[in-house]
Amino acid sequence: KQEVTQIPAALSVPEGENLVLNCSFTDSAIYNLQWFRQDPGKGLTSLLLIQSSQREQTSGRLNASLDKSSGRSTLYIAASQPGDSATYLCAVRPSTGANNLFFGTGTRLTVIP
Amino acid sequence: EPEVTQTPSHQVTQMGQEVILRCVPISNHLYFYWYRQILGQKVEFLVSFYNNEISEKSEIFDDQFSVERPDGSNFTLKIRSTKLEDSAMYFCASSVHYEQYFGPGTRLTVT
């Protein structure tokens, strides 16, 4: 069964710093990987989706990379802002034909003004 | 920008009661999903629905759960006889193909 792990579990950085969040998955047979943001008590906001054939995706200050063979993805946030404070989740979709997502436990990010 | 909506935002029910959670997916989306998140735990897949039938379901989605698309816009999750361990945040999601868009969730509290 696919297991998705995210480290660190929590991260606190001063405003303006660049940071990297890590995601690893045990089964490299994935169709795609999606990064989400979750604010406390709220739903999930899709940030980036990377297909298995892609190496990275960029959206504004966010850049996500994927190394499928080693079972890793990173989310790079440039010039962090207090508004980036949230929990960041990664999720993988298996390539077996199923369309469900397997989620990690998330990284709780706090950006200190 | 189109978004997935869910009602109610919070539902409190007594153990053994039936609950129906409602979702309105994004209008041109074809795939619909329910996930749940028990407090402090991972988001877990429950079921996916396509072309008016269940396409995938997890071990969690037992006979106590059912889904329905009663009309062209709503997508519902019914829990027939709620248990204390059903207390969680339930998220509806929809997609055209790959990227799933999630609703704000319904917090279900079973007492």
Side-chain angles (χ1 to χ4, degrees), chain A residues 3-14:
Chain A
E3 292 291 336
V4 182
T5 305
Q6 291 184 247
I7 53 172
L11 181 63
S12 186
V13 300

Side-chain angles (χ1 to χ4, degrees), chain B residues 22-56:
Chain B
R22 291 183 166 79
C23 168
V24 179
I26 295 172
S27 62
N28 63 330
H29 285 191
L30 304 173
Y31 298 84
F32 315 113
Y33 314 84
W34 284 101
Y35 291 81
R36 79 172 185 190
Q37 185 178 33
I38 295 171
L39 189 64
Q41 298 186 23
K42 292 183 178 184
V43 176
E44 301 174 289
F45 169 75
L46 294 178
V47 65
S48 61
F49 193 85
Y50 172 71
N51 202 24
N52 284 319
E53 61 182 25
I54 291 173
S55 50
E56 296 284 337

Side-chain angles (χ1 to χ4, degrees), chain A residues 26-83:
Chain A
T26 53
D27 187 348
S28 62
I30 66 166
Y31 196 81
N32 60 42
L33 183 145
Q34 201 167 347
W35 281 94
F36 294 89
R37 168 189 173 132
Q38 183 176 29
D39 292 283
K42 300 289 180 62
L44 282 65
T45 301
S46 179
L47 298 173
L48 290 163
L49 180 141
I50 312 179
Q51 298 290 1
S52 62
S53 58
Q54 297 176 316
R55 297 287 295 191
E56 64 178 80
Q57 280 284 348
T58 298
S59 176
R61 294 183 293 108
L62 306 180
N63 175 278
S65 68
L66 175 65
D67 183 344
K68 197 176 84 150
S69 60
S70 66
R72 293 180 186 171
S73 176
T74 62
L75 179 67
Y76 174 83
I77 301 177
S80 57
Q81 303 170 358

Side-chain angles (χ1 to χ4, degrees), chain A residues 31 93-100, chain B residues 56:
Chain A
Y31 196 81
R93 179 185 165 184
S95 60
T96 55
N99 52 9
N100 52 296
Chain B
E56 296 284 337

